[in-house]
Amino acid sequence: MARPAPARYAIGMNVMPSSSLAEFTDFTGCTVVITGASGVVGAGIAERFAEAGARVVIHYRSGRARAEALQRKIEDNGGQAVTISADVGRKQEVQQMFADIATDQPVDVLINNAGHYPLSSIVDMTTAEWDAVMCANMRSTFLCTQSVIAYMKAARHKSIVNISSIESQHVMPMHSHYTAAKAGVNMFTRSAASELGRYGIRCNAVLPGLIWRQGIEAEWPEGVAGWRKSAPLERLGRAEDVANACLFLSSTAAAWITGAELRVDGGVLSSKAF
């Protein structure tokens, strides 16, 4: 008697059905929450998921005008978007935010993108500066992840992507608080992947390098020149580079990827010149 063909993607007693290529980037009917979406990277992520058919939730704390402009841009292009404001460093506000978002459908994807990126030396740094960076980058990631779990169990994609940084793996001057926070985000990502897998929730991190924004060449010409010289791909990153990584990690193409750290840096950490 011939042996039956093995089930595809079988793990123990659970079987994950295979997806067609068309389904890999189809987020139609899904809700995707992006924190800090009024900034350059967050806006790029929001636009990409909207293009993939998702209902995008644009979170902001203080950038209301930019968030609302992004919502209009997405809607003008035929997408779905709403804006919501909250301080993601405050537990009560985070809990209320997700309760408001998930009134009629689950949250499929959470992109923890909110963050704070100041410059300060260890010698001169105040405890308030240290705490502000830890709150914006680490505490917010923890609070949003903890709060979204209950609203994600019935979702289709069940993906959390934390925006870290290559600085979590490479020391930069004046950024001890930021590098420490992002290294913590990496380890939290691994811990969340380990604990939340039982619910089918995947958790991964994206580590961007230097991302282009309007005016950066004029503000930091030596830094931009040095980056381009060091990067094998000889350019700065773009918001869509980070967005594409988030889309992939949240798609069914990455159904067996969790606890991963994906560098999106043009290869700069592979360069001896960096």
Side-chain angles (χ1 to χ4, degrees):
M1 180 181 294
R3 295 177 63 184
R8 200 173 179 193
Y9 302 126
I11 305 173
M13 298 299 293
N14 297 319
V15 178
M16 289 291 292
S18 61
S19 300
S20 68
L21 287 175
E23 291 175 315
F24 281 162
T25 56
D26 182 8
F27 285 80
T28 303
C30 297
T31 295
V32 177
V33 180
I34 304 103
T35 67
S38 61
V40 173
V41 172
I45 296 170
E47 289 184 64
R48 183 62 85 222
F49 274 99
E51 289 174 24
R55 169 191 175 238
V56 171
V57 180
I58 301 166
H59 160 267
Y60 68 94
R61 190 185 69 165
S62 58
R64 179 176 178 179
R66 294 191 301 273
E68 291 180 345
L70 176 60
Q71 178 185 358
R72 289 193 296 272
K73 180 179 179 181
I74 289 173
E75 291 175 340
D76 288 346
N77 289 326
Q80 301 177 68
V82 296
T83 61
I84 193 164
S85 177
D87 182 342
V88 287
R90 296 179 179 273
K91 183 173 184 176
Q92 186 173 359
E93 290 193 35
V94 171
Q95 290 176 329
Q96 186 62 55
M97 177 178 76
F98 282 104
D100 291 342
I101 290 169
T103 53
D104 55 354
Q105 62 187 90
V107 175
D108 284 78
V109 178
L110 166 64
I111 311 293
N112 282 311
N113 172 69
H116 186 41
Y117 187 78
L119 295 173
S120 186
S121 70
I122 294 174
V123 173
D124 299 323
M125 189 184 304
T126 66
T127 54
E129 289 176 312
W130 174 273
D131 290 344
V133 170
M134 290 295 163
C135 182
N137 293 282
M138 277 194 71
R139 181 180 171 89
S140 66
T141 298
F142 158 65
L143 289 177
C144 289
T145 298
Q146 184 184 61
S147 295
V148 79
I149 294 169
Y151 303 105
M152 192 171 274
K153 291 178 182 178
R156 189 171 102 207
H157 285 271
K158 299 185 180 70
S159 170
I160 299 172
V161 178
N162 299 324
I163 304 302
S164 180
S165 168
I166 62 167
E167 289 193 31
S168 65
Q169 300 179 346
H170 182 87
V171 173
M172 294 293 286
M174 309 288 282
H175 272 170
S176 62
H177 44 5
Y178 183 77
T179 57
K182 290 304 188 181
V185 167
N186 293 353
M187 291 307 298
F188 177 78
T189 299
R190 296 186 198 180
S191 296
S194 177
E195 292 189 26
L196 302 183
R198 70 188 67 180
Y199 306 116
I201 297 174
R202 297 180 300 106
C203 192
N204 295 290
V206 171
L207 284 56
L210 186 60
I211 303 300
W212 182 89
R213 56 178 170 75
Q214 190 70 41
I216 192 172
E217 293 92 346
E219 295 171 15
W220 196 32
E222 69 280 4
V224 171
W227 180 276
R228 286 177 173 153
K229 182 179 179 180
S230 299
L233 295 183
E234 300 181 342
R235 69 170 174 86
L236 274 63
R238 297 182 294 259
E240 54 262 39
D241 293 317
V242 182
N244 290 339
C246 293
L247 190 75
F248 163 67
L249 287 173
S250 298
S251 73
T252 53
W256 207 36
I257 299 176
T258 193
E261 297 164 18
L262 177 58
R263 292 205 310 252
V264 182
D265 68 346
V268 76
L269 285 194
S270 302
S271 172
K272 294 181 180 179
F274 187 63

